[in-house]
């Protein structure tokens, strides 16, 4: 009722007051804005340094500058008092009165930089520098200065940069999905200080940002090193690198864990390993081959060490009389990789260790080789009950790794002569005991990284074994046929790149060493 | 279980004539029908009687203090260990581990029946432990291994494998 009365009488006193207040507010706001604009204009006018900072036009390759951009890692006391240009990300910025401190980051290196009001920089320039959002990319002209006290928080501890010009090349949005400092904080530290750490899934959801952390940078530089060392070592041993198809017509190791893809009017599989093809290359007289490429496993296992797509490092070679020639060749390759990492990637290893502490990786030369029966004896002595022909379960595998480490002080060893029953159909049976086979696994820190064997190079025996495993002979006809026209005895193995990196660094999840991991629950990014 | 333990104790004590036992109630409390007196009821009561019968009083402790400790652990055995809950295992082992830190036997430096009954009472827990856990409760493991190798104690219980060297470093805990 009152409302209608009010309508008739026009606005009430209360409403009038409200209106008046709002009008006042608007006026004040306009005044403030005008003042701000005026101020800005005036400051712009008397900003002597206005050409020394700003947001650059988008780089569309308009010009070729003769400018040399120095790398952050090269900023050492030798460069003191030089004027240099550099491009880096703004890791953090902190304004403090007439100064603004920035930490400029480039990959895993960072350096402290400073903009201070003086004859080179104006108040406005310092303000601008302080307001650059984290992770923006900037071009900076600065003078390198030695510092008296080491800067503990930066990788370049002996120098800092006195900025004279700063231009934003690419601006980052102000809100980051995760903070880089949180992402590299060791778990233990976060708990103790009550500070944030970032959980694995958040990291993986925002992989592009997470990959910028010093830890990720180090991990993937080391991973690249593994590939390179693998290639170099094998090439030196006379191996040939081959490329094999990933779309295949038959599963190589049992049909259960393969991805099926539709292939025109029929279906095909994604390769579980280049197994069949590298063997065919052996039959085609390539003698020693290796292959680096994606491998697919459709196992629905969500564990710390399974991925559905990973990078396989595969080796296959013909040998003369005994498959141990193959084992020796592979273990030597692994040892070369371990040595290469130890000697050339110490910085990366240290960087990862800061966040994920682990003991240095130990290995023996020549590599320790144990037979399956010996391993069973060790496990039984430790109280594990296992049948003679049982496969190793993951916990037993890890326990065996600890027992071997305790006894032989090595994180890398070969387990030879697996029971035939637990290996694929193309595995050569042991001539002395048909229950066992000429097959082997290799372990790092108690986890399997390589599975290999002498293969059957006799078409008839191969057919027998395939039938025994109930494999459709029609589908592997071309494979079996390749052995009909003279095939040398041969063996080989396949390594998972991600696992090698994970275990070498003593990490706990294979997703940490996969750049864009694929597992049953993750298909993006 | 209690009956097998008592017959195991009889063998250990070297008693020639095995006694006949019956049980009482849902919890199958052992009962010994005594020829010259009322029946004896309960594991600990019967055990103490057997020890006296065998004239081995030192197995109940050789001083007033150690006698009290032995009774305390026997009490602990029947009240805490019989029918223990899965979630208590860690607490039990942790406490015992701390207690055994500076002792060879439960009552100090002398073997008593507290050791035999705690051994058989804790056996089902130890059997299920992973090697890493055995290392975690290293004092319990040491004591347990000692007792299971003590002449005549293990009897019907299966031996538990114990490693002499530590295989896990502190970082693995």
């Amino acid at each position: 009722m009152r409302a209608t009365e009010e309508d008739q009488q026009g606005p009430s006193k209360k409403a009038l007051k409200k209106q008046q207040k709002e009008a006042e507010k608007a006026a004040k706001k306009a005044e403030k804005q005008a003042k701000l604009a005026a101020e800005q204009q005036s400051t712009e006018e008397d900003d002597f340094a206005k050409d020394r900072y700003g947001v650059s036009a988008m780089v569309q390759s308009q010009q070729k500058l003769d400018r040399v951009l120095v790398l952050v890692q090269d900023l050492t006391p030798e460069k003191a008092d030089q004027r240099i240009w550099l491009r880096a990300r703004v890791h953090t910025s902190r304004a403090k009165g007439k100064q603004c401190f920035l930490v400029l980051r480039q990959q895993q290196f960072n350096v402290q930089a400073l903009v201070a009001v003086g004859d080179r920089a104006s108040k406005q320039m310092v303000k601008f520098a302080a307001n650059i959002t984290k992770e923006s990319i900037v071009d900076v002209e600065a003078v390198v200065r030695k510092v008296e006290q080491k800067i503990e928080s930066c990788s370049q501890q002996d120098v800092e940069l006195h900025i004279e010009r700063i231009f934003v090349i690419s601006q980052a949005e102000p809100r980051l999905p995760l903070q880089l400092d949180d992402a590299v904080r060791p778990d233990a530290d976060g708990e103790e200080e009550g500070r944030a750490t970032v959980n694995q899934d958040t990291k993986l959801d925002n992989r592009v940002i997470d990959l910028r952390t010093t830890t990720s940078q180090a991990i993937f530089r080391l991973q690249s090193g593994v590939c390179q060392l693998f290639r170099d070592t094998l090439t030196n041993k006379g191996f040939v690198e081959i490329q094999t198809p990933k779309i295949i017509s038959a599963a190589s190791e049992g049909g259960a864990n393969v991805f099926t893809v539709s292939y025109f009017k029929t279906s095909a599989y994604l390769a579980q390993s280049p197994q069949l093809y590298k063997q065919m290359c052996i039959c085609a007289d390539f003698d020693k081959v290796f292959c680096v490429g994606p491998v697919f496993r459709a196992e629905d296992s969500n564990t710390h060490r399974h991925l559905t797509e990973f990078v396989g490092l595969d080796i296959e070679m013909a040998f003369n009389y005994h498959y141990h020639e193959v084992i020796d060749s592979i273990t030597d390759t692994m040892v070369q990789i371990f040595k290469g990492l130890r000697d050339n990637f110490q910085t990366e290893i240290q960087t990862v260790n800061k966040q994920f502490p682990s003991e240095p990786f130990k290995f023996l030369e020549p590599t320790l080789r144990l037979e399956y029966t010996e391993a069973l004896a060790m496990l039984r002595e430790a109280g594990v009950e296992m049948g003679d022909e049982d496969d190793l379960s993951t916990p037993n595998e890890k326990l065996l790794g600890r027992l071997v480490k305790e006894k032989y002080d090595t994180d890398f060893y070969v387990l030879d002569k697996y029971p035939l029953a637990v290996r694929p159909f193309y595995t050569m049976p042991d001539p002395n005991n048909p229950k066992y086979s000429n097959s082997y696994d290799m372990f790092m820190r108690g986890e399997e990284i390589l599975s290999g064997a002498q293969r059957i190079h006799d078409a008839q025996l191969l057919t027998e074994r395939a039938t025994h495993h109930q494999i459709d002979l029609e589908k592997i006809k071309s494979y079996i046929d390749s052995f009909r026209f003279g095939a040398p005895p041969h063996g080989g193995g396949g390594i998972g790149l991600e696992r090698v990196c994970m275990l070498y660094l003593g990490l706990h999840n294979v997703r940490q060493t996969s750049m864009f991991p694929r597992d049953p629950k993750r298909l993006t990014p | 279980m209690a009956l097998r333990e008592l017959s195991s104790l009889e063998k250990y004590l070297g008693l020639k004539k095995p006694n006949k036992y019956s049980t009482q109630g849902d919890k199958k409390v052992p009962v010994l029908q005594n020829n010259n007196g009322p029946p004896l009821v309960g594991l600990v009561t019967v055990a103490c009687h057997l020890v006296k019968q065998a004239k081995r009083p030192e197995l109940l402790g050789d001083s007033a203090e150690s006698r009290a400790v032995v009774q305390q652990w026997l009490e602990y055995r029947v009240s805490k260990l019989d029918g223990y809950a899965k979630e208590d295992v860690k607490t039990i082992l942790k406490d015992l581990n701390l207690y055994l830190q500076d002792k060879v036997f439960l009552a100090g430096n002398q073997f008593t029946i507290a050791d035999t009954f705690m051994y058989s009472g804790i056996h089902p827990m130890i059997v299920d432990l992973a090697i890493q856990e055995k290392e975690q409760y290293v004092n319990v493991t040491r004591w347990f291994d000692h007792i299971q190798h003590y002449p005549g104690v293990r009897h019907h219980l299966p031996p538990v494998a114990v490693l002499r060297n530590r295989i896990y470093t502190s970082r693995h805990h």
Side-chain angles (χ1 to χ4, degrees):
Chain A
M1 282 302 278
R2 275 192 66 181
T4 51
E5 267 171 42
E6 269 175 22
D7 280 350
Q8 283 160 1
Q9 291 171 4
S12 70
K13 264 190 190 169
K14 236 188 192 169
L16 268 175
K17 233 183 190 171
K18 209 175 178 183
Q19 268 180 3
Q20 204 182 344
K21 246 189 187 167
E22 258 163 37
E24 263 172 42
K25 232 186 194 170
K28 252 188 194 166
K29 206 174 175 186
E31 200 181 322
K32 214 176 182 179
Q33 258 174 355
K35 205 173 158 188
L36 210 79
E39 210 171 74
Q40 206 159 20
Q41 214 175 2
S42 71
T43 54
E44 255 169 45
E45 272 163 19
D46 50 64
D47 180 5
F48 63 89
K50 67 181 169 208
D51 298 331
R52 296 179 165 274
Y53 65 92
V55 177
S56 289
M58 189 196 298
V59 176
Q60 263 188 305
S61 310
Q62 299 94 326
Q63 48 185 347
K64 293 185 185 173
L65 280 183
D66 247 351
R67 191 182 282 167
V68 180
L69 294 174
V70 176
L71 295 178
V72 167
Q73 65 185 107
D74 293 337
L75 295 175
T76 53
E78 287 151 35
K79 284 223 165 26
D81 302 321
Q82 288 182 24
R83 176 163 297 149
I84 52 113
W85 276 94
L86 115 148
R87 178 170 294 179
R89 277 185 198 279
V90 174
H91 186 65
T92 57
S93 68
R94 181 164 53 90
K96 205 176 160 192
K98 289 186 169 180
Q99 292 181 322
C100 173
F101 287 94
L102 301 163
V103 174
L104 298 179
R105 190 188 79 237
Q106 197 174 59
Q107 292 153 3
Q108 69 267 51
F109 306 102
N110 50 19
V111 64
Q112 176 168 287
L114 164 72
V115 195
V117 176
D119 52 352
R120 298 287 183 179
S122 62
K123 233 179 184 174
Q124 292 82 355
M125 180 167 160
V126 173
K127 203 172 162 193
F128 172 84
N131 284 332
I132 301 174
T133 48
K134 275 188 187 182
E135 293 302 300
S136 293
I137 300 173
V138 292
D139 270 8
V140 160
E141 188 191 31
V143 177
V144 184
R145 297 272 188 227
K146 263 196 214 170
V147 288
E148 295 190 352
Q149 235 175 3
K150 279 186 184 261
I151 303 164
E152 298 290 345
S153 58
C154 291
S155 65
Q156 309 314 112
Q157 306 195 326
D158 302 315
V159 295
E160 65 176 10
L161 300 176
H162 289 220
I163 294 180
E164 303 203 337
R165 291 170 207 267
I166 181 162
F167 297 99
V168 176
I169 300 296
S170 171
Q171 205 152 19
E173 286 186 12
R175 272 181 62 89
L176 292 169
L178 58 95
Q179 299 298 320
L180 267 75
D181 285 337
D182 295 343
V184 296
R185 188 165 293 136
D187 281 350
D189 282 16
E191 277 163 30
E192 277 166 26
E193 296 166 31
R195 292 163 86 178
T197 51
V198 185
N199 73 29
Q200 174 106 334
D201 268 331
T202 315
K203 284 185 190 175
L204 294 181
D205 288 341
N206 303 286
R207 194 58 161 154
V208 173
I209 310 245
D210 178 49
L211 287 174
R212 291 179 191 169
T213 59
T214 47
T215 309
S216 300
Q217 289 283 326
I219 290 175
F220 292 102
R221 272 155 219 281
L222 182 124
Q223 187 169 82
S224 158
V226 173
C227 282
Q228 198 204 334
L229 289 162
F230 181 77
R231 283 199 167 96
D232 288 354
T233 312
L234 289 174
T235 310
N236 285 341
K237 286 178 187 285
F239 278 75
V240 180
E241 178 161 7
I242 57 164
Q243 305 295 338
T244 63
K246 304 303 168 205
I247 305 175
I248 56 171
S249 63
S252 57
E253 6 208 327
N257 51 3
V258 283
F259 285 110
T260 314
V261 291
S262 79
Y263 194 75
F264 304 107
K265 280 177 184 159
T266 164
S267 59
Y269 303 108
L270 291 181
Q272 292 164 300
S273 83
Q275 186 59 42
L276 311 186
Y277 293 93
K278 55 183 190 175
Q279 280 190 262
M280 290 197 250
C281 288
I282 297 296
C283 296
D285 285 351
F286 280 92
D287 204 32
K288 295 170 172 182
V289 296
F290 73 94
C291 159
V292 178
V295 171
F296 303 89
R297 297 284 157 91
E299 289 168 75
D300 192 7
S301 40
N302 294 287
T303 71
H304 75 283
R305 61 174 193 170
H306 284 95
L307 293 170
T308 50
E309 178 181 349
F310 60 91
V311 177
L313 307 175
D314 276 88
I315 302 176
E316 199 71 30
M317 64 178 269
F319 62 81
N320 298 331
Y321 296 104
H322 199 291
Y323 74 102
H324 282 177
E325 295 164 34
V326 182
I327 293 189
D328 292 342
S329 196
I330 300 177
T331 52
D332 180 61
T333 306
M334 294 307 295
V335 166
Q336 295 307 322
I337 293 176
F338 300 148
K339 279 187 177 169
L341 293 177
R342 182 191 64 196
D343 298 342
N344 306 323
F345 289 84
Q346 214 35 251
T347 331
E348 281 78 6
I349 295 169
Q350 303 288 340
T351 308
V352 177
N353 264 330
K354 262 186 222 162
Q355 187 176 1
F356 303 106
S358 71
E359 291 164 31
F361 190 84
K362 286 192 172 169
F363 53 92
L364 296 175
E365 245 179 314
T367 303
L368 172 69
R369 198 180 68 233
L370 289 175
E371 294 210 352
Y372 201 76
T373 43
E374 290 176 72
L376 282 190
M378 283 172 81
L379 283 171
R380 282 176 184 156
E381 201 180 321
V384 173
E385 285 165 32
M386 250 183 88
D388 277 349
E389 287 179 70
D390 289 353
D391 204 357
L392 277 180
S393 68
T394 310
N396 285 345
E397 213 175 273
K398 284 190 176 171
L399 174 59
L400 182 62
R402 298 304 314 174
L403 292 169
V404 169
K405 174 85 185 258
E406 199 274 327
K407 193 165 173 186
Y408 301 96
D409 197 30
T410 175
D411 285 308
F412 178 63
Y413 69 97
V414 183
L415 194 52
D416 195 11
K417 296 275 176 211
Y418 268 68
L420 185 61
V422 303
R423 306 298 276 201
F425 74 94
Y426 47 73
T427 307
M428 182 66 87
D430 180 4
N432 303 317
N433 186 343
K435 279 187 174 173
Y436 290 94
S437 64
N438 292 348
S439 64
Y440 43 85
D441 274 6
M442 294 184 189
F443 295 86
M444 282 172 69
R445 295 197 206 254
E447 295 193 52
E448 184 235 289
I449 51 143
L450 173 142
S451 215
Q454 177 186 349
R455 331 293 187 183
I456 299 172
H457 58 282
D458 177 85
Q460 198 191 336
L461 180 58
L462 191 59
T463 315
E464 262 172 47
R465 295 296 305 162
T467 319
H468 179 82
H469 279 255
Q470 297 171 329
I471 291 168
D472 185 358
L473 291 176
E474 243 347 274
K475 283 195 171 163
I476 53 166
K477 188 170 178 300
S478 65
Y479 171 64
I480 294 182
D481 283 347
S482 21
F483 300 102
R484 292 189 197 280
F485 310 103
H490 62 283
I495 315 167
L497 173 64
E498 288 85 350
R499 273 196 198 177
V500 171
C501 295
M502 165 177 85
L503 295 166
Y504 185 82
L505 291 168
L507 300 175
H508 299 295
N509 197 310
V510 73
R511 289 162 189 80
Q512 287 172 315
T513 53
S514 172
M515 205 165 242
F516 298 102
R518 290 287 174 265
D519 63 38
K521 290 180 179 148
R522 182 175 288 279
L523 205 49
T524 54
Chain B
M1 161 120 170
L3 296 188
R4 291 184 86 174
E5 280 184 86
L6 286 174
S7 67
S8 154
L9 179 65
E10 280 176 358
K11 287 223 175 83
Y12 172 74
L13 293 170
L15 293 175
K16 293 271 159 55
K17 264 196 271 170
N19 290 300
K20 278 221 166 144
Y21 301 99
S22 54
T23 58
Q24 168 184 311
D26 292 343
K27 289 190 173 165
K28 305 218 163 152
V29 178
V31 178
L32 173 61
Q33 194 58 54
N34 206 344
N35 287 335
N36 31 354
L40 292 169
V41 182
L43 182 69
V44 173
T45 317
V46 176
C48 291
H49 170 77
L50 293 178
V51 170
K52 276 175 195 149
Q53 204 181 359
K55 299 202 169 67
R56 299 278 303 276
E58 78 280 3
L59 288 175
L60 293 172
D62 56 1
S63 64
E65 195 190 9
S66 65
R67 272 193 293 277
V69 173
V70 169
Q71 287 307 316
Q72 195 177 313
W73 282 110
L74 290 173
E75 186 63 29
Y76 183 91
R77 153 65 210 268
V78 287
S79 60
K80 284 276 168 67
L81 291 192
D82 285 350
Y84 66 89
K86 268 253 150 54
E87 56 267 26
D88 293 339
V89 170
K90 276 192 179 156
T91 332
I92 292 172
L93 291 173
K94 208 176 129 199
D95 293 347
L96 192 56
N97 194 51
L98 204 64
Y99 177 80
L100 285 168
Q101 198 173 310
D102 55 356
K103 291 175 188 68
V104 180
F105 300 104
L106 286 167
N109 292 326
Q110 252 182 348
F111 178 81
T112 63
I113 62 164
D115 292 299
T116 67
F117 283 100
M118 279 297 287
Y119 157 75
S120 48
I122 215 160
H123 190 277
M125 285 186 206
I126 304 288
V127 162
D128 285 343
L129 289 190
I131 289 182
Q132 193 166 350
E133 292 170 304
K134 286 186 203 161
E135 268 189 27
Q136 196 181 340
Y137 307 112
V138 65
N139 301 318
V140 176
T141 313
R142 165 181 49 75
W143 164 81
F144 186 90
D145 195 35
H146 189 185
I147 303 301
Q148 73 175 350
H149 286 100
Y150 210 81
V153 171
R154 193 168 58 74
H155 195 57
H156 62 281
L157 292 169
V160 174
V162 170
L163 296 182
R164 299 210 168 259
N165 299 326
R166 305 199 70 157
I167 60 168
Y168 293 92
T169 51
S170 53
R171 212 163 256 154
H172 285 84
H173 289 305

